[in-house]
Amino acid sequence: MVEEDRITLAPTEIYGRSDEEQNEPRIWRRKTEEPPGKCLIYTLTIIVIIFAVCLILSSIFLRISKPEIETTSVSTRDLRFGGNSTNPYFNATLVSDITIRNSNFGAFEFEDGSLRVVYADHGIVGVTTIGGRRVEAHKTVKITGVVVEIGSFRLLDTKGLESDLRLGFLELRSAAEIRGRIKVLGRRRWKVSVMSCTMRLNLTGRFIQHLLCE
């Protein structure tokens, strides 16, 4: 009797249901490489930012402005005045304190400057020199005791002087000019600073009042 071969068919692999496959968690992997276009955009953005920062810094550090000069006080001594309508006169010594402010990032070195005193619109009545010196960056230098001798003998026309003497006031204006060099990061620039101040000489009280500088 021939035995019948019994063949048992068994699945070699176990397959899950389709719904089980959908419920399995998926693993997402980040791409390690960026597209070439994005890299170019990032590079250009960084270059623009660096350029903007350099432009801002250069506008701050390389900007060179004129130093400011100002008369802070004026005193008088040896005041004399008088005369008649045909020969009025006045003489006095003015002693001024002047400040020079340098707001730049480099030192300011200036040569000898000039200070002129003008009486009303009649002309110059006194001239003196402001000694040259060095003003460090972001510093203010005070120059004390700048002496100028003023007198009506310098005037070509003394018309109106006699009436001002009787009123007891002389309207004066002082003008100063200094010229120097400023060095910032290897760059040297010449700058000229100008000052103009108005004041009133009180003949009775022998002092300066209403000092105003521009």
Side-chain angles (χ1 to χ4, degrees):
M1 182 175 186
V2 180
E3 294 182 358
E4 296 180 0
D5 294 333
R6 295 181 180 179
I7 299 175
T8 303
L9 300 177
T12 58
E13 294 181 3
I14 301 175
Y15 297 91
R17 294 182 301 177
S18 60
D19 57 348
E20 293 179 355
E21 293 180 356
Q22 296 177 356
N23 294 330
E24 290 181 357
R26 297 181 180 181
I27 300 175
W28 297 90
R29 289 186 175 86
R30 185 179 179 181
K31 294 181 179 180
T32 57
E33 297 182 359
E34 293 287 346
K38 290 187 176 180
C39 293
L40 181 59
I41 293 175
Y42 295 155
T43 303
L44 291 177
T45 303
I46 293 173
I47 292 175
V48 170
I49 293 174
I50 294 175
F51 178 77
V53 172
C54 292
L55 188 63
I56 293 173
L57 292 178
S58 63
S59 64
I60 294 175
F61 290 97
L62 297 181
R63 181 182 179 184
I64 299 178
S65 59
K66 293 181 181 180
E68 300 175 5
I69 178 172
E70 181 182 7
T71 298
T72 56
S73 66
V74 182
S75 60
T76 64
R77 67 188 186 201
D78 302 330
L79 173 61
R80 297 183 299 275
F81 62 94
N84 50 38
S85 59
T86 59
N87 187 30
Y89 73 91
F90 71 89
N91 297 287
T93 300
L94 302 182
V95 183
S96 303
D97 291 340
I98 298 174
T99 59
I100 301 174
R101 179 176 176 270
N102 178 23
S103 60
N104 297 287
F105 283 90
F108 174 56
E109 297 181 357
F110 65 94
E111 305 168 343
D112 289 350
S114 62
L115 174 66
R116 303 179 304 276
V117 179
V118 180
Y119 161 57
D121 295 326
H122 297 283
I124 297 174
V125 293
V127 180
T128 191
T129 300
I130 301 174
R133 63 188 61 201
R134 176 186 176 96
V135 184
E136 298 296 336
H138 290 283
K139 296 292 184 180
T140 300
V141 169
K142 186 174 183 179
I143 305 175
T144 59
V146 179
V147 177
V148 54
E149 303 288 342
I150 63 174
S152 57
F153 65 90
R154 295 176 180 269
L155 297 174
L156 298 177
D157 182 11
T158 58
K159 183 179 179 180
L161 176 58
E162 193 268 338
S163 61
D164 287 342
L165 293 177
R166 282 190 285 104
L167 291 174
F169 299 101
L170 296 179
E171 300 295 336
L172 303 176
R173 180 172 59 87
S174 65
E177 180 179 301
I178 55 175
R179 184 174 185 267
R181 294 177 299 178
I182 301 174
K183 184 177 181 181
V184 179
L185 298 178
R187 297 176 57 195
R188 291 185 178 181
R189 295 282 299 277
W190 285 91
K191 288 293 181 180
V192 178
S193 296
V194 179
M195 176 198 70
S196 179
C197 300
T198 57
M199 65 191 81
R200 174 179 290 178
L201 174 58
N202 188 314
L203 300 175
T204 304
R206 297 176 178 269
F207 63 89
I208 293 292
Q209 63 188 57
H210 304 321
L211 175 63
L212 180 62
C213 295
E214 299 179 356

